[in-house]
Every structure is written in structure tokens, then in C-alpha cells.
């Protein structure tokens, strides 16, 4: 029996149900100007472990689904898109047949695999352009006859086969830049209780965390602020994007009406699913009252959240993974009460085109937690916990990352 596409790939996506619901919402949304796809390029990966399908268009594609796999068939939907006349549908490598179909304003690519190799698929946005990419990754060993290329042959990107080509591609995708965002700052004090200001606590923890990351992980750490300065929410995510960050960490402290509320919680982008998540989101998003132009946030609505979660779906599962590691460290290594990993549409996470989390380290409205977070020991413990989580995430990310070849 011919091997089929590896279904473990589908099980890795913790957001499949959300994406299906979101896709339905997008389909019901008012029509927008359609993106025109003007080129499809299929390229063999530098490591010889599969192919990359690159989609180029006349403007940025706002939303796309994760690939849907059924046997040897892959369906990939691009929302509010059309395909230009004369665009060639590539049939090479593992693709035996390629066609497209339209459903209203949305375009679906249908790829029929040849079935000779087992394949996993993944889709995400290219960090260096407006292109979107689908990885077709071989999950089984190559046939023996193909294991040793003839002397002098090259891989699909022109590089000589061997460890040097693989190492070069892996180096390009290494988690080498992290942006740390100490929440609030300047005229925005954040939560204030028991003589402790959120903006001061989070800055101290952020700077200590950055020092650990640079010293022990050899990564480039950038900060949205390094002093008592107010930075607009949208600017924080833009700063991370412009500097090619591979990870975005927004550090905060919590507050509640009840002095009994306590514990940590870590968020990633998505619709809130509890009243407590809604309250945290509203408190953090209310920072925009300090900004001169709040009109930009008028577009941050439910429809755009659907599009954002679809567009960033590959990043969201990585964000959830990191959030889980952070909460595990808080609970098991620092002995803090974990309130869990949650989703909410925080403005500061909205524009970060990379895995991104917002960390609430505890409640300043709780006297005990405020005292702990204000202490030198408490700050060191929290910075160390987040560091260990990022270290573990980095190891998992770089061990399982999929290198992408250029054309």
C-alpha cells in the first residue's frame, strides 16, 4: 500500500476547530478587494527533505487556512483571492496533479501527491516578504538509489548537497532575535497597589530576563523600552516585526477588584473564552487612552481577529507551546499558583508576526504577591522561570524547525 500523508501533522494543530469556525466567519464576512495571485513557485528544499510552494500576489494576502489533508490529497484555501490568467500550476517533485477551484470569493488549491513518499504539510507567511509558503516535508527516508547524488550535482537551490547546505539554511531560521516588551511605562503606570507600580516591576524583570537570554542562549535581545517611557501598543509589535524578531514576550503584572485573586497566567492571541480573560484584556487594552491617535484600533474588531488568527495560525500553536512552558515553570519551579494558559485579543499581540505571548506574573492587588514581585528575590525567580521556558522552547523549536529553501 502506498504511504499516505502523515496525519500526525494535523494532530499537532491545537487550533483546528478554531480555524474551521473562523474560516466560516470569514466566508460570511462582507466581500473585500480580492488579492490576485500572479505566480506559484515550487522549489526543492536545500536539505533534500521536501519542497516549498511559494505564492506571490499583487498585494498582501490577509488570510489563509492551514492545509487540509485527505489521503494523498492536500487542499489549501486562500481567502479573498483569485488566480491570474496564465499562472502555471506546478506538477513536479511529489505533486502528481495540481488544480484550483473557487468558492465565492475564496480560492482553494488542490494538490494530488504521487504517493511515493509520506509527507507532512505546513503553511505560514514568509518573514521577508508578503509571500505565503507551504512546506511539503518528507517524513520517511529517501529510497536507497536516491541517497547518494552523483558527484558535482546540486540541490534545488544551487547549493552542494551535504551538511554545509543544511547548516546554512538552519542558521537562517535559528531563533536568534527576541523582543522583550516591558508593559506600560511613562505616563501609563499600569496596575498600582500596595505601593508597587506595574511599570517598574515589569521593567526590572524584563531587563534581568534579557541579560539571562543574551548570556546563556547567545541571542540578540531587543527591548520596546529600557527606561520609564511610554510606547504605543501598536508600535511595540511593529518594532518586533521591523527587527526580524523570532519571538515576542510582553511582560505584565495583574490586578483585580478582589484582594484574594492571585496567580500567574500567560496569554496568546485569540478570542477570549472566559470572563476573567476578558477583564484582563480590557484592562491591558485600555492603555490606548494614553495614545494620541486611537482611530487605528477601530479595525481591531471580531472580523479582523478572525483574519489575524487565520493568518498567524502557525505562530499561534508555537505561542501556545511557549505559554505552556512558562506556566509550567511558574508552577513547578517557582511555586506560584498557575491560572493557566489563555487566549485574548490583546492589542499588543495583534501586530506581532511571530510567536508572541503576554505574561501576567501575579496580582499586585494581592498584598502577598505584590510583596513577592517587588522583592529582588521575586524578580530574579520570575525572570529565571521565563528564561528557562524560552530556553526549552528554543531547543524544541530549533530541533523541529523546517528549513526553507530560496528560489
Amino acid at each position: 500500500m502506498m504511504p499516505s500523508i502523515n496525519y500526525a501533522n494535523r494532530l499537532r494543530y491545537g487550533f483546528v476547530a478554531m480555524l474551521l469556525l473562523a474560516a466560516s466567519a470569514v466566508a460570511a464576512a462582507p466581500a473585500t478587494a480580492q488579492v490576485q495571485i500572479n505566480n506559484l513557485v515550487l522549489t526543492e528544499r536545500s536539505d533534500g527533505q521536501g519542497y516549498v510552494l511559494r505564492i506571490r500576489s499583487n498585494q498582501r494576502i490577509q488570510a489563509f487556512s492551514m492545509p487540509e489533508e485527505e489521503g494523498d490529497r492536500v487542499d489549501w484555501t486562500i481567502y479573498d483571492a483569485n488566480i491570474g490568467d496564465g499562472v502555471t500550476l506546478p506538477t513536479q517533485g511529489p505533486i502528481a496533479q495540481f488544480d484550483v477551484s473557487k468558492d465565492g470569493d475564496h480560492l482553494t488549491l488542490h494538490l494530488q501527491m504521487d504517493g511515493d513518499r509520506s509527507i507532512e504539510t505546513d503553511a505560514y507567511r514568509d518573514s521577508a516578504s508578503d509571500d505565503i509558503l507551504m512546506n511539503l516535508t518528507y517524513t520517511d527516508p529517501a529510497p536507497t538509489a536516491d541517497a547518494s547524488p552523483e558527484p558535482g550535482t546540486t540541490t534545488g537551490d544551487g547549493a552542494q548537497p551535504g551538511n554545509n547546505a543544511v547548516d546554512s539554511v538552519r542558521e537562517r531560521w535559528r531563533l536568534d532575535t527576541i523582543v522583550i516588551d516591558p508593559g506600560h511605562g511613562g505616563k501609563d503606570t499600569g496596575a498600582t497597589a500596595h505601593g508597587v507600580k506595574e511599570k517598574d516591576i515589569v521593567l526590572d524583570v524584563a531587563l534581568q530576563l534579557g541579560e539571562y537570554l543574551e548570556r546563556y542562549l547567545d541571542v540578540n535581545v531587543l527591548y520596546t523600552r529600557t527606561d520609564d517611557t511610554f510606547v504605543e501598543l501598536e508600535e511595540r509589535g511593529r518594532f518586533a516585526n521591523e527587527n526580524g524578531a523570532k519571538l515576542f514576550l510582553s511582560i505584565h503584572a495583574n490586578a483585580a477588584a478582589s484582594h484574594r485573586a492571585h496567580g500567574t497566567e500567560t496569554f496568546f492571541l485569540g478570542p477570549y473564552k472566559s470572563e476573567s480573560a476578558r477583564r484582563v484584556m480590557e484592562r491591558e487594552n485600555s492603555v490606548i487612552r494614553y495614545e494620541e491617535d486611537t482611530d487605528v484600533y477601530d479595525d481591531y474588531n471580531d472580523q479582523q481577529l478572525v483574519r489575524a488568527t487565520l493568518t498567524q495560525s502557525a505562530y499561534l500553536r508555537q505561542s501556545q507551546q511557549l505559554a505552556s512552558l512558562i506556566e509550567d515553570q511558574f508552577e513547578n519551579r517557582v511555586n506560584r499558583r498557575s491560572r493557566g494558559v489563555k487566549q485574548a485579543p490583546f492589542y499588543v499581540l495583534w501586530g506581532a508576526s511571530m510567536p508572541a505571548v503576554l505574561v501576567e506574573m501575579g496580582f499586585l492587588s494581592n498584598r502577598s504577591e505584590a510583596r513577592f514581585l517587588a522583592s529582588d528575590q521575586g524578580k530574579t525567580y520570575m525572570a529565571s522561570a521565563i528564561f528557562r521556558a524560552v530556553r526549552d522552547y528554543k531547543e524544541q523549536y530549533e530541533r523541529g524547525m523546517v528549513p526553507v529553501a530560496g528560489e
Side-chain angles (χ1 to χ4, degrees), residues 288-299:
I288 65 172
R289 68 182 182 275
Y290 296 108
E291 301 184 10
E292 294 182 3
D293 181 13
T294 61
D295 291 344
V296 66
Y297 300 104
D298 291 345
D299 293 333

Side-chain angles (χ1 to χ4, degrees), residues 43-165:
T43 308
E44 187 177 9
R45 280 174 32 182
S46 296
D47 61 357
Q49 294 304 305
Y51 283 74
V52 176
L53 176 64
R54 179 181 293 270
I55 294 185
R56 290 174 171 156
S57 53
N58 65 339
Q59 57 183 301
R60 182 182 176 88
I61 292 173
Q62 295 300 319
F64 53 91
S65 72
M66 296 306 292
E68 295 286 330
E69 302 169 3
E70 185 70 33
D72 291 325
R73 181 185 176 93
V74 178
D75 296 329
W76 189 23
T77 299
I78 315 299
Y79 297 100
D80 292 325
N82 208 341
I83 190 164
D85 295 335
V87 174
T88 303
L89 305 180
T91 53
Q92 64 191 75
I95 302 178
Q97 185 176 343
F98 197 139
D99 59 88
V100 300
S101 66
K102 287 280 289 182
D103 181 8
D105 293 329
H106 312 314
L107 181 76
T108 300
L109 311 182
H110 307 285
L111 287 69
Q112 183 67 41
M113 302 302 163
D114 58 20
D116 291 340
R117 302 279 301 273
S118 294
I119 287 176
E120 288 184 351
T121 60
D122 191 13
Y124 51 95
R125 190 176 300 282
D126 184 15
S127 62
S129 70
D130 285 340
D131 299 347
I132 58 174
L133 307 170
M134 182 200 290
N135 254 315
L136 304 168
T137 305
Y138 294 135
T139 60
D140 54 0
T144 305
D146 297 332
S148 301
E150 291 295 323
T153 60
T154 62
T155 57
D157 65 349
Q160 292 292 332
N163 290 335
N164 289 341

Side-chain angles (χ1 to χ4, degrees), residues 144-218:
T144 305
D146 297 332
S148 301
E150 291 295 323
T153 60
T154 62
T155 57
D157 65 349
Q160 292 292 332
N163 290 335
N164 289 341
V166 175
D167 290 345
S168 175
V169 176
R170 286 190 178 277
E171 179 65 21
R172 188 173 70 192
W173 288 93
R174 186 170 63 89
L175 201 162
D176 54 2
T177 303
I178 297 174
V179 166
I180 301 178
D181 170 45
H184 310 280
K187 57 189 175 183
D188 173 22
T189 61
T192 302
H194 304 296
V196 180
K197 296 179 180 178
E198 179 181 0
K199 68 174 183 177
D200 298 331
I201 297 296
V202 300
L203 180 59
D204 290 345
V205 172
L207 294 175
Q208 194 164 348
L209 169 61
E211 181 183 347
Y212 293 153
L213 292 171
E214 289 183 321
R215 182 189 305 174
Y216 298 112
L217 294 189
D218 189 29

Side-chain angles (χ1 to χ4, degrees), residues 18-36:
M18 180 192 75
L19 293 177
L20 290 175
L21 291 172
S24 298
V26 171
T32 58
Q34 286 197 317
V35 174
Q36 185 85 352

Side-chain angles (χ1 to χ4, degrees), residues 164-304:
N164 289 341
V166 175
D167 290 345
S168 175
V169 176
R170 286 190 178 277
E171 179 65 21
R172 188 173 70 192
W173 288 93
R174 186 170 63 89
L175 201 162
D176 54 2
T177 303
I178 297 174
V179 166
I180 301 178
D181 170 45
H184 310 280
K187 57 189 175 183
D188 173 22
T189 61
T192 302
H194 304 296
V196 180
K197 296 179 180 178
E198 179 181 0
K199 68 174 183 177
D200 298 331
I201 297 296
V202 300
L203 180 59
D204 290 345
V205 172
L207 294 175
Q208 194 164 348
L209 169 61
E211 181 183 347
Y212 293 153
L213 292 171
E214 289 183 321
R215 182 189 305 174
Y216 298 112
L217 294 189
D218 189 29
V219 297
N220 179 34
V221 176
L222 303 173
Y223 303 89
T224 57
R225 68 181 182 96
T226 57
D227 54 19
D228 189 17
T229 303
F230 176 72
V231 181
E232 295 184 353
L233 292 183
E234 190 180 46
E235 182 58 32
R236 298 174 191 241
R238 182 184 297 116
F239 173 80
N241 294 340
E242 291 175 349
N243 285 279
K246 305 291 177 55
L247 203 61
F248 180 83
L249 305 167
S250 191
I251 312 298
H252 294 259
N254 220 331
S258 171
H259 296 317
R260 295 181 180 181
H262 67 290
T264 66
E265 48 195 7
T266 303
F267 292 83
F268 62 100
L269 184 67
Y272 60 80
K273 299 179 181 179
S274 68
E275 275 301 300
S276 63
R278 180 189 62 79
R279 288 193 293 270
V280 176
M281 177 269 295
E282 289 182 347
R283 184 176 67 81
E284 297 294 357
N285 286 352
S286 68
V287 168
I288 65 172
R289 68 182 182 275
Y290 296 108
E291 301 184 10
E292 294 182 3
D293 181 13
T294 61
D295 291 344
V296 66
Y297 300 104
D298 291 345
D299 293 333
Y300 286 42
N301 52 40
D302 290 343
Q303 180 182 334
Q304 291 303 320

Side-chain angles (χ1 to χ4, degrees), residues 322-376:
L322 175 59
S324 297
L325 291 170
I326 291 173
E327 285 301 306
D328 181 71
Q329 286 288 335
F330 285 159
E331 183 172 29
N332 297 312
R333 297 294 295 276
V334 193
N335 199 29
R336 312 310 295 170
R337 181 205 175 202
S338 172
R339 298 164 64 94
V341 174
K342 302 178 181 180
Q343 290 177 269
F346 291 97
Y347 292 160
V348 72
L349 300 180
W350 204 291
S353 298
M354 66 210 65
V357 297
L358 185 145
V359 182
E360 295 282 0
M361 299 186 296
F363 285 76
L364 298 185
S365 49
N366 181 290
R367 185 179 297 276
S368 175
E369 286 200 333
R371 185 183 304 116
F372 172 78
L373 291 173
S375 69
D376 290 341

